[in-house]
Amino acid sequence: MQMWSLIGNSQRLDGGAMFGNAPKALWSRWIATDEQNRIPLACRCLLVKDLDGRNVLFETGIGAFFEPALRERYGVVEAHHVLLDSLAEAGLSHEDVDVVVLSHLHFDHAGGLLAAWEEGQAPRLLFPKARFVVGAEHWLRAQHPHPRDRASFIPQLGALLEQSGRLERVEGEYSQVLGKSVRLSYSQGHTPGLMLAEVGGVVFCADLIPGRFWVHLPITMGYDRWPEMLIDEKQAFLDDKLARNVRLFFTHDHDCAMARVTRDERGRYGTTDEQRELKGLVIA
């Protein structure tokens, strides 16, 4: 099988929100802000071609479903659906994708399921042949969100996924559609039931670890529901991936798609073997 890192629509969000209670004097050494204190963020997806004969896409990024005013509010840079261009560069269209795996249903991870916004047009689901895989616990959260994160969900998306007849809500370590090829685990600190997918020695970190800078244990996002829980989960996650030499795939790191985790003599986690993009990486 082959792995491709696919860039979707990018964002610029407030750096303070992305680094939680860490002071700007710390995180500004890692990443520069613009005049509005925003930092660049990718919405990167992982494509695995020929995974048991299928094309499997892990997440779809934020897409271009927002109307112009909301696109500006949430810092979405491009107006067109960038993921469709990235799929084309990998030799596919959205119609060629067999399975879409969603870590969770926040709009910056699932918005790319929808066609680009058109005035007067209702939201429309792309990927007409794909099965959609999402964690059962998180699905319930998305249907009944808390006021704190209600704005993070797309109101129409749940109904569109159910109406497709191709939705699988997963409980446990493996899904029916993917079988033993993709191992699933779960996290609660960012959002209830966040699903983390591991395939071919690579794990899609989603919002448990958005990028390299968040590998450092104390660093969390202001968007995380339970930061202390997330830190505990992150430590156990990193220890496991370090012990098994599993590489980390980052969705929001603007300049790094994949890296290996390290731990120094002080116990501090970091990354090495950083790769900016994957273009047909062959996995045995």
Side-chain angles (χ1 to χ4, degrees):
M1 59 185 175
Q2 296 179 353
M3 290 189 176
W4 300 71
S5 59
L6 302 185
I7 293 295
N9 293 66
S10 57
Q11 285 185 278
R12 301 192 72 87
L13 287 181
D14 184 83
M18 286 302 298
F19 286 102
N21 65 348
K24 186 176 181 181
L26 173 64
W27 58 258
S28 62
R29 299 190 309 225
W30 302 332
I31 188 166
T33 64
D34 65 11
E35 66 282 354
Q36 298 182 52
N37 202 49
R38 302 180 304 177
I39 62 172
L41 296 169
C43 288
R44 184 182 292 104
C45 312
L46 175 63
L47 171 67
V48 182
K49 298 175 74 171
D50 197 23
L51 176 58
D52 297 332
R54 292 174 292 185
N55 298 315
V56 180
L57 182 63
F58 294 83
E59 298 205 345
T60 61
I62 197 168
F65 75 97
F66 275 134
E67 61 182 87
L70 289 177
R71 188 171 70 237
E72 174 67 23
R73 177 185 300 177
Y74 290 110
V76 182
V77 177
E78 307 88 358
H80 69 286
H81 203 320
V82 176
L83 177 60
L84 301 185
D85 296 339
S86 295
L87 279 167
E89 291 177 11
L92 301 177
S93 77
H94 70 100
E95 296 175 340
D96 299 315
V97 174
D98 299 298
V99 185
V100 177
V101 182
L102 299 159
S103 70
H104 62 306
L105 294 172
H106 287 173
F107 61 67
D108 56 326
H109 296 258
L113 290 171
L114 300 174
W117 177 83
E118 294 182 61
E119 188 170 6
Q121 298 297 312
R124 177 172 59 87
L125 199 62
L126 299 176
F127 305 96
K129 300 176 184 176
R131 296 285 299 275
F132 304 107
V133 178
V134 65
E137 181 181 4
H138 182 72
W139 175 263
L140 292 176
R141 174 64 169 211
Q143 306 319 302
H144 306 284
H146 188 276
R148 187 177 186 274
D149 65 353
R150 183 176 292 125
S152 297
F153 295 101
I154 304 169
Q156 307 93 332
L157 183 59
L160 289 171
L161 289 172
E162 284 198 300
Q163 291 164 10
S164 75
R166 293 176 275 119
L167 174 66
E168 181 187 355
R169 285 160 283 203
V170 184
E171 296 182 48
E173 197 171 8
Y174 301 103
S175 81
Q176 291 182 352
V177 66
L178 292 170
K180 296 296 181 70
S181 297
V182 179
R183 180 185 178 193
L184 304 170
S185 60
Y186 301 88
S187 166
Q188 308 296 326
H190 176 68
T191 187
L194 178 75
M195 190 170 71
L196 303 157
E198 182 180 325
V199 56
V202 176
V203 63
F204 195 103
C205 296
D207 278 344
L208 177 63
I209 306 175
R212 291 163 295 169
F213 314 117
W214 291 266
V215 168
H216 187 37
L217 280 186
I219 302 300
T220 61
M221 294 187 288
Y223 304 108
D224 296 328
R225 291 305 315 280
W226 294 285
E228 290 186 7
M229 178 188 291
L230 186 140
I231 288 171
D232 293 340
E233 292 176 333
K234 184 163 57 170
Q235 182 169 18
F237 179 88
L238 290 171
D239 284 344
D240 173 69
K241 304 307 175 280
L242 183 60
R244 297 192 294 114
N245 196 30
V246 174
R247 289 173 285 185
L248 311 180
F249 187 92
F250 302 124
T251 182
H252 287 314
D253 194 311
H254 74 294
D255 204 35
C256 179
M258 189 171 71
R260 297 185 189 275
V261 61
T262 63
R263 191 175 186 184
D264 65 20
E265 63 280 358
R266 299 174 297 166
R268 178 167 174 158
Y269 298 94
T271 58
T272 189
D273 190 21
E274 298 172 350
Q275 298 184 50
R276 196 171 192 273
E277 60 182 355
L278 310 178
K279 287 195 172 183
L281 176 68
V282 176
I283 303 294

